Each structure stands twice: as structure tokens, then as C-alpha cells.
């Protein structure tokens, strides 16, 4: 009996060493496909993780937070009162994460991927969502909550950004193509 208690104690100590509190992540510019993913693990108690990245022009995209909140693992790994905030540090613009089900009309559990996520404790209908067009600048995403499981809590954060406006080189090539098309039409009319 004493050996089992000692073994359980060592296992809990090891998992708490793997956990963290208040971690800072720095990303390169998130991409649309594949999206940039962070798997966070917080030690028991309150935490605020910060994810930093920069955008050099206007991007359309989203930040999607899946805090683990499930019945199956709630005693071991769980996060309550999760929040998500995105701030453009260069301009001061701030966005607050909304419940995905309210923002997007929900996800059906008939969808196999949604059901698999929910069974793993990462329910899309309990996730937080920020979407829109984001201008150039240095960004900070703040992920916070209370890790209530014996091992603390885990979450998955997805960052997906795609240029919203064609870059100048793309516009120049499009203009060049239109000019070539016009020149071809003029040449045909003369012939």
C-alpha cells in the first residue's frame, strides 16, 4: 500500500513539473493552412499565457481557443472560466473571445470531427472565437483561466491568418496582365 501511495505521489510530482503557469509564446506570422497551433498546459490554479506575433499588413483570420472542459477527465485535466483576448499592441485595438456556438451558430455533434473533439474534452461549442480583419502591428493574445484538475489543465489554441488584401506585387502583375490582354485585343482589331 505504501509503495502505491509513493508511486502516485511521484507521478503527480512529475506531471506538475511538466505543467507551467504564465507562459509566453512567440510565433512567426500565423499562416492560414496549416494553422499555427499551441498546446498549453497550466499547473493547478489561475494562469494567464501570452502568445505574441506580428503582422506586416492586413490579414483576415481567427484565433480559436479550446479549453479542456470535459466530464471524463475533469478530475485530472480541466480548465474553468477560460477567457481569450487579442490586442494589437501597436494600435491598442482589442478583441474579446466569444463563445463559438454564439458567434458561429454552433457545431453539430453529428459531425465526426466535432464529436471526437468533444469526447476528448475540447468541445467546439464550449470554445472561444475571435475572427476578423487584423491590421499590421505587434499582437498579444491572452489566454487565461483556472486549471482545476489534479494535473492542472490543458488547452489548444489555433491561430490562422491570411493576407486580406493582395500585396503590391500581385496587383502590379494583375495590372500587367490586363494591359497585355488589352494590347492583344487592339492588335486583333487592327488585323
Amino acid at each position: 500500500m505504501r509503495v502505491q501511495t509513493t508511486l502516485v505521489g511521484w507521478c503527480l510530482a512529475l506531471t506538475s513539473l511538466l505543467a507551467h503557469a504564465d507562459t509566453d509564446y512567440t510565433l512567426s506570422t500565423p499562416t492560414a493552412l496549416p494553422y499555427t497551433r499551441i498546446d498549453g498546459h497550466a499547473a493547478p490554479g489561475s494562469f494567464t499565457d501570452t502568445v505574441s506575433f506580428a503582422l506586416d499588413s492586413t490579414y483576415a483570420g481567427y484565433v480559436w481557443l479550446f479549453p479542456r472542459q470535459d466530464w471524463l477527465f475533469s478530475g485530472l485535466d480541466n480548465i474553468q472560466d477560460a477567457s481569450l483576448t487579442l490586442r494589437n499592441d501597436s494600435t491598442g485595438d482589442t478583441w474579446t473571445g466569444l463563445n463559438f456556438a454564439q458567434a458561429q451558430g454552433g457545431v453539430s455533434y453529428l459531425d465526426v470531427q466535432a464529436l471526437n473533439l468533444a469526447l476528448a474534452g475540447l468541445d467546439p461549442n464550449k470554445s472561444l472565437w475571435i475572427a476578423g480583419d487584423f491590421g499590421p502591428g505587434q499582437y498579444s493574445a491572452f489566454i487565461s483561466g483556472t486549471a482545476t484538475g489534479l494535473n492542472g489543465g490543458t488547452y489548444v489554441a489555433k491561430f490562422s491568418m491570411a493576407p486580406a488584401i493582395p500585396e503590391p506585387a500581385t496587383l502590379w502583375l494583375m495590372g500587367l496582365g490586363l494591359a497585355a490582354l488589352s494590347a492583344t485585343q487592339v492588335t486583333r482589331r487592327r488585323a
Side-chain angles (χ1 to χ4, degrees):
M1 180 70 147
R2 191 171 201 177
V3 172
Q4 288 177 334
T5 305
T6 304
L7 184 59
V8 169
W10 280 104
C11 288
L12 288 174
L14 180 60
T15 56
S16 68
L17 288 175
L18 298 174
H20 69 270
D22 299 340
T23 299
D24 294 331
Y25 299 93
T26 302
L27 307 176
S28 56
T29 300
T31 57
L33 291 173
Y35 55 81
T36 303
R37 174 182 168 143
I38 291 181
D39 293 290
H41 190 154
S46 297
F47 71 94
T48 299
D49 290 350
T50 305
V51 181
S52 301
F53 61 92
L55 300 177
D56 57 1
S57 62
T58 300
Y59 281 70
Y62 66 83
V63 179
W64 199 355
L65 174 65
F66 295 85
R68 183 175 293 281
Q69 298 176 334
D70 64 315
W71 61 272
L72 185 59
F73 297 105
S74 61
L76 298 174
D77 233 359
N78 204 39
I79 291 183
Q80 298 296 320
D81 304 321
S83 71
L84 171 65
T85 304
L86 180 65
R87 181 181 69 213
N88 184 331
D89 298 329
S90 304
T91 65
D93 293 337
T94 303
W95 299 264
T96 302
L98 302 173
N99 176 275
F100 184 79
Q102 294 171 339
Q104 298 294 315
V107 177
S108 170
Y109 293 118
L110 297 176
D111 179 298
V112 174
Q113 288 179 333
L115 182 60
N116 287 338
L117 281 170
L119 289 175
L122 302 171
D123 188 346
N125 287 307
K126 294 180 182 176
S127 61
L128 299 175
W129 173 261
I130 296 172
D133 288 338
F134 305 102
Q138 183 67 38
Y139 282 81
S140 296
F142 302 100
I143 299 168
S144 62
T146 303
T148 60
L150 291 175
N151 294 329
T154 57
Y155 64 83
V156 172
K158 297 179 179 182
F159 295 79
S160 177
M161 301 284 167
I165 300 169
E167 297 195 15
T170 304
L171 292 174
W172 185 81
L173 285 172
M174 285 174 43
L176 187 61
L178 288 173
L181 234 140
S182 296
T184 303
Q185 291 298 326
V186 168
T187 306
R188 284 186 183 169
R189 286 185 189 162
R190 289 184 182 169

